[in-house]
Amino acid sequence: MSTQKDFKKITTKALQVCKEQKIKISALTAYDFITAKILDKAGIDIILVGDSLSNVFLGNDTTLPVTMDEMIYHTKAVAKGVERAMIVVDMPFMSYQTNPDEAFRNAGRIMKETPAGAVKMEGGIRIAETVRKITEAGIPVMGHIGLLPQSIHSYGSYEARGKDPSEAKIITEDALALEQAGAFAIVIEKTPAKLAKSISAKLKVPLIGIGAGAYCDGQILVTPDMLGLNVDFRPRFVRYYSNLAEEIESAVKKYISDVKSGKFPTEKESY
Ligand code: KIV
């Protein structure tokens, strides 16, 4: 079986091969050049410039305030560090919900002003017409179903979606509508693993999970969460692969102490 190393550059076609050959897809978020460069060097398949930028980079409570200009600014920085991964950019709140024409213009702006490979947007049946218009123009679209953080004010909480059969049916129909409209992949957020499993089995395109269990065709996490940087946010689907907040704090304390005591810099570190 091939591994991620077989793909020199991740394209929509490569992701389709992954789905067909049951090769799991790895995805993480990035918002800056240095992080993107490290993720790409490590071999990540997809780098999402997520609108989680609003929370974890800009310090907002929700994803709603982030703008088109901010998404484009951060994508340009991310792209400078990436050679292999596919860069996907979240379309921010109100950049695609109003009507398909405005969505089309904004998706076109992202593709024209950055080297991104695709855009992502939240919703299912209600955005299917928009997805069709954008994909027909040659812009790859990744869908996003299940918990939709841009709809937080209508949910009232970030609890898992699709636990009852009627909502599970709607989420399934949303997935199928996105695939029919031309989406090349779909993110599913915070749903029961059983639901994600059944949706993945129905789809020809990859289903990438976050808090949606092990049966998806790939997994995505928010990088500052999985690196243990964003310590105030720890839902059970986040696994810590590092404790960077602790490591950074301890490094900074050491630096402060060395500066105060005159241990830094030494002669070797001077000109
Ligand atoms: O914005 C983001 O980081 C996302 C992931 C949670 C999938 O959409």
Side-chain angles (χ1 to χ4, degrees):
M1 182 184 279
S2 32
T3 70
Q4 57 178 6
K5 299 290 178 209
D6 295 334
F7 300 110
K8 280 206 168 63
K9 175 86 194 140
I10 301 296
T11 59
T12 54
K13 227 176 180 170
L15 297 173
Q16 192 54 45
V17 170
C18 287
K19 170 85 182 188
E20 284 156 17
Q21 298 187 4
K22 299 193 180 337
I23 300 167
K24 295 272 189 180
I25 296 163
S26 62
L28 284 170
T29 65
Y31 320 100
D32 67 284
F33 163 70
I34 290 174
T35 310
K37 193 170 169 182
I38 296 168
L39 301 187
D40 193 58
K41 187 165 173 246
I44 202 79
D45 296 318
I46 296 173
I47 293 180
L48 172 70
V49 185
D51 59 357
S52 50
L53 164 66
S54 177
N55 311 71
V56 296
F57 204 91
L58 302 175
N60 297 310
D61 287 339
T62 71
T63 57
L64 275 59
V66 76
T67 65
M68 276 291 294
D69 286 346
E70 286 165 338
M71 295 305 296
I72 286 172
Y73 175 89
H74 284 270
T75 303
K76 284 180 179 168
V78 163
K80 290 189 182 122
V82 177
E83 286 176 12
R84 176 183 174 275
M86 168 183 271
I87 300 172
V88 180
V89 182
D90 254 334
M91 295 199 59
F93 179 61
M94 292 315 285
S95 68
Y96 61 96
Q97 285 93 341
T98 31
N99 62 67
D101 287 338
E102 191 174 358
F104 184 55
R105 267 194 304 278
N106 281 323
R109 235 196 105 188
I110 289 170
M111 300 305 283
K112 205 168 168 67
E113 294 178 33
T114 79
V119 296
K120 173 164 90 57
M121 56 188 81
E122 296 180 7
I125 291 170
R126 72 181 151 94
I127 61 157
E129 190 193 336
T130 297
V131 172
R132 185 176 306 282
K133 188 173 172 78
I134 295 172
T135 54
E136 279 178 0
I139 299 175
V141 174
M142 178 181 273
H144 185 147
I145 56 171
L147 176 75
L148 309 177
Q150 291 179 10
S151 301
I152 182 59
H153 293 303
S154 64
Y155 300 143
S157 87
Y158 285 102
E159 73 182 86
R161 312 302 306 183
K163 287 195 280 190
D164 65 77
S166 63
E167 199 178 34
K169 184 169 175 280
I170 292 169
I171 294 172
T172 304
E173 286 166 1
D174 279 342
L176 295 171
L178 288 171
E179 179 174 86
Q180 274 213 339
F184 72 94
I186 299 171
V187 165
I188 184 164
E189 180 164 353
K190 219 169 175 189
T191 65
K194 242 175 90 180
L195 173 61
K197 183 181 184 184
S198 103
I199 293 175
S200 168
K202 289 183 173 72
L203 289 177
K204 290 185 188 66
V205 298
L207 185 69
I208 299 172
I210 173 163
Y215 304 107
C216 299
D217 305 300
Q219 297 291 328
I220 182 162
L221 284 175
V222 170
T223 300
D225 295 349
M226 59 82 81
L227 291 180
L229 260 177
N230 188 21
V231 287
D232 296 333
F233 177 75
R234 197 167 181 185
R236 80 169 196 236
F237 65 79
V238 172
R239 184 183 296 178
Y240 272 19
Y241 284 86
S242 190
N243 282 296
L244 278 196
E246 275 173 27
E247 284 189 38
I248 292 172
E249 189 179 334
S250 134
V252 171
K253 281 185 172 154
K254 180 92 179 66
Y255 168 73
I256 294 169
S257 156
D258 285 355
V259 169
K260 302 272 184 196
S261 66
K263 281 191 190 152
F264 177 81
T266 61
E267 253 181 56
K268 258 178 98 176
E269 288 159 333
S270 308
Y271 297 94

